[in-house]
Amino acid sequence: MSRILTVAAAQLGPIQKAETRAEVVARMIALMEEAKAKRADFIVYPELALTTFFPRWYHEDRAEADPWFEAAMPNPQVQPLFDKALECGMGMSFGYAELTPEGQHFNSSILVDKTGAIVGKYRKIHLPGHVDYDETRAHQHLEKRYFEPGDLGFPVWRTMGGLIGMCICNDRRWPETYRVMGLQGVEMVVLGFNTPSVNGHRSGEGLAQRLFHHRLSVQAGAYQNSCWVVAVAKAGDEDGNHLMGGTLVVNPDGEIVAELEGEADGIIVVPCDLDATRFGKETIFDFARHRRIEHYGAITAQVGVVEPD
Ligand code: CDT
């Protein structure tokens, strides 16, 4: 049996500070049209897809960052993307900065089905970076200043003929992210990322190593939970700050089946057989038969390391 969901991983090249939502949405629509021509069912865009990666910019008054946030989704500036998706009969996922009616700020992503309905929302849980200006860093990474940790867990949704989950950027480096979704039977994890191509704390850690850690993380998550992973970059030079590419699709064996070259807007389209997740889920990663939860208590009982006496 096969159950094909054809996915388009839609990388965005750099978005400069001065670029408007309307300009970015036009770029996203152009990628969607390309995906439609290649018969994609589902298109995945990056983290914070509608704007530049603004958490690199420090504001003493954090409310000054609010113009980067969306107070409603969809809103008039993003509606043309929803209209195009409905016209194409295509599901989609993209990330954006969410400002709730209660005044909370999250780094969020949504899952939209082929009828244009928002069926899922995820709020980033593993926020990297720092709260205050850090002069020891080559560049600032102020996600902990501008966002609260997500409060929705790691849900999985039954949609588009499969079981689909989301996470965002830094979440992909944490095995807990995939396992919590794996325990809900996830068949495809989709995620977007904005990853600086140099570690702000360690200038010797450059592009090659950053790409290595990225691939290592998503390949391990896919293999250990026997699911597809679709990881989509915002890439290139944003106002002098470089983000790596590395948009790719990983199969449930942990193999990269497609990877986009370069740092510009572009897509890779992969027919993903969701039934290919069955083998791993029913053999080596049959959780019901093999997990030993009596030994996993420390995973949820503590945050930091507790060394033995
Ligand atoms: N956007 C995001 O989460 N970026 C992080 C950079 C970590 S360095 C502070 C990432 O994991 O790629």
Side-chain angles (χ1 to χ4, degrees), residues 3-10 31-32 34-36 38-45 90-93 111 114 160 164-165 187-191 228-232 247-251 257-258 266-274:
R3 202 159 31 103
I4 304 296
L5 181 66
T6 299
V7 67
L31 292 173
M32 190 177 281
E34 204 180 326
K36 177 70 180 168
K38 293 182 174 159
R39 301 185 178 281
D41 299 301
F42 178 35
I43 186 165
V44 182
Y45 299 100
M90 196 178 300
M92 67 175 168
S93 178
L111 187 56
K114 292 182 175 188
M160 289 180 272
I164 300 179
E187 295 171 325
M188 178 180 284
V189 174
V190 302
L191 67 100
W228 293 87
V229 178
V230 180
V232 184
T247 293
L248 48 78
V249 177
V250 182
N251 72 18
V257 293
I267 60 168
I268 43 176
V269 177
V270 178
C272 300
D273 181 2
L274 301 180

Side-chain angles (χ1 to χ4, degrees), residues 3 52 68 70 87 98 126 156 162 169 184 196 212 229 244 254:
R3 202 159 31 103
T52 194
W68 299 114
E70 314 299 321
E87 181 192 317
E98 178 191 6
H126 298 102
V156 166
C169 195
Q184 299 165 78
F212 168 70
V229 178
M244 70 179 205

Side-chain angles (χ1 to χ4, degrees), residues 2 15 39 43 54 60 64 86 103 115 131 133 142 170 224 246 254 285 294:
S2 59
I15 300 173
R39 301 185 178 281
I43 186 165
F54 67 85
E60 179 80 40
E64 284 175 15
L86 188 59
T115 72
V131 175
Y133 190 86
L142 294 154
N170 187 255
Q224 292 170 347
F285 296 116
E294 65 273 31

